[in-house]
Amino acid sequence: MNDLTVQDPDARLVSWLASGGLRPTRQRLALAALLVGDGEDRHVTAEGLYAAAAGAAEKVSLATVYNTLRAFCDAGLMNEVVVDGSRSYFDTRLDDHPHFYWEDSGRLTDAPASQLKIAELPAAPEGAEIARVDVVIRLKRV
Amino acid sequence: MNDLTVQDPDARLVSWLASGGLRPTRQRLALAALLVGDGEDRHVTAEGLYAAAAGAAEKVSLATVYNTLRAFCDAGLMNEVVVDGSRSYFDTRLDDHPHFYWEDSGRLTDAPASQLKIAELPAAPEGAEIARVDVVIRLKRV
DNA sequence: TTAAGTGCAAATTATTTGCAGTAAG
DNA sequence: CTTACTGCAAATAATTTGCACTTAA
């Protein structure tokens, strides 16, 4: 899905946006660079990404950060993860995988998918099918 | 944990509240009756419980419904379940168990815990331990 | 009598939206 | 040019809180 072919970074971001049918605006390129610029998976909140953009001297309004994250999700470029009733997290990783949620700091990180083995799963009731299975491992400091 | 001994229903609710160190006020008894009055497990939102109370001709303010649900959770009588960024669900069932989330209707129900078998789980990283594992099976209509 | 609980209305927080201006194809 | 995108500020929605009043112990 992510074609990490060798090409100049900007072009990679442009095609990342294009694969979601989105125009490469200055703001989107800046946010995309922060999100997928280095190929690392990221878990951000809107406020967090807004702060990161500000830190990188990129001028993007908070409303645009919200709208852009929503656009990226609608375009299938990211996923929204719900773990904390009060804020939404956005994950650059696209496959269905488990998360660690650090209750003390509110940080969300990937849990190694290879170490999760579900031997049996409740079947979807009549008239429904499974869209996704969210597994959140809540951690507390010892 | 839930002692479903045969005694008059009101006394059951009073001791349910007492087990959480909470005073049996008229409002709490009314909400407790709606939540655990029949021993069935319930998944409610604050607004939903408020509507149910109104439907049962019980006068309880929305603020009190919120405060009471929070108090019940703090007292360990209920659990908060996060599945939908925008609203909180409160579950009368206390053990760690999987849920079905009906994406179309926003309804939350229990999934049979007996049908979930996790063969392997990512280990908690250094300095942390697992507080709880949330499994939410998201359903879509076929 | 006294600390806990209640209910309003106002405050907060995260997020969305209307709309006028700006930029991409 | 034409439509999508941006950014402010105002609007929303869920939830919390300040505070005067009520009630359980």
Side-chain angles (χ1 to χ4, degrees):
Chain A
M1 193 141 282
N2 280 348
D3 52 276
L4 299 170
T5 349
V6 186
Q7 40 184 322
D8 83 278
D10 201 70
R12 281 233 318 284
L13 298 175
V14 172
S15 62
W16 185 73
L17 290 171
S19 69
L22 299 171
R23 289 186 183 175
T25 66
R26 197 201 83 236
Q27 293 82 336
R28 286 178 179 172
L29 286 168
L31 297 179
L34 293 168
L35 290 168
V36 297
D38 62 1
E40 294 282 307
D41 290 314
R42 290 251 157 49
H43 302 80
V44 303
T45 58
E47 286 284 356
L49 182 58
Y50 178 63
E58 297 287 356
K59 288 193 321 268
V60 185
S61 77
L62 182 55
T64 295
V65 172
Y66 273 105
N67 291 160
T68 300
L69 284 171
R70 186 116 335 246
F72 287 0
C73 285
D74 291 348
L77 297 173
M78 298 185 74
N79 275 123
E80 190 172 357
V81 184
V82 177
V83 279
D84 169 311
S86 62
R87 358 134 132 296
S88 276
Y89 288 77
F90 297 87
D91 184 357
T92 56
R93 192 164 148 183
L94 296 176
D95 64 314
D96 197 351
H97 63 283
H99 286 106
F100 282 133
Y101 179 61
W102 303 76
E103 293 185 334
D104 58 329
S105 63
R107 194 163 303 281
L108 184 72
T109 59
D110 283 333
S114 62
Q115 285 172 38
L116 176 68
K117 292 194 178 113
I118 297 181
E120 200 183 323
L121 193 66
E126 280 300 326
E129 67 180 22
I130 295 176
R132 184 158 51 105
V133 179
D134 287 345
V135 177
V136 177
I137 302 168
R138 289 176 182 266
L139 301 175
K140 58 168 179 265
R141 290 238 166 268
V142 277
Chain B
M1 192 141 282
N2 281 348
D3 54 277
L4 299 170
T5 348
V6 186
Q7 40 183 323
D8 83 278
D10 201 71
R12 281 234 318 286
L13 299 176
V14 171
S15 62
W16 185 73
L17 290 172
S19 70
L22 299 172
R23 291 186 182 175
T25 65
R26 198 200 83 236
Q27 294 82 338
R28 286 178 179 172
L29 286 169
L31 297 180
L34 292 168
L35 289 169
V36 298
D38 63 0
E40 294 282 306
D41 290 313
R42 290 251 157 46
H43 303 80
V44 303
T45 60
E47 285 284 357
L49 183 57
Y50 177 63
E58 297 286 357
K59 289 194 320 270
V60 185
S61 78
L62 182 55
T64 294
V65 171
Y66 273 105
N67 291 161
T68 300
L69 284 171
R70 182 92 329 133
F72 287 1
C73 286
D74 290 348
L77 297 173
M78 298 186 73
N79 274 122
E80 190 172 357
V81 184
V82 176
V83 281
D84 170 311
S86 62
R87 358 134 135 295
S88 277
Y89 288 77
F90 297 87
D91 185 356
T92 56
R93 194 164 147 183
L94 296 176
D95 63 314
D96 197 351
H97 63 284
H99 287 106
F100 283 132
Y101 178 62
W102 303 76
E103 293 185 334
D104 57 329
S105 62
R107 193 162 304 279
L108 184 72
T109 59
D110 283 333
S114 61
Q115 285 172 37
L116 176 68
K117 291 193 179 112
I118 297 182
E120 200 183 323
L121 193 65
E126 280 301 325
E129 67 180 24
I130 295 177
R132 183 156 52 105
V133 179
D134 286 344
V135 176
V136 177
I137 302 168
R138 289 175 182 267
L139 301 175
K140 57 167 182 263
R141 292 238 166 268
V142 277

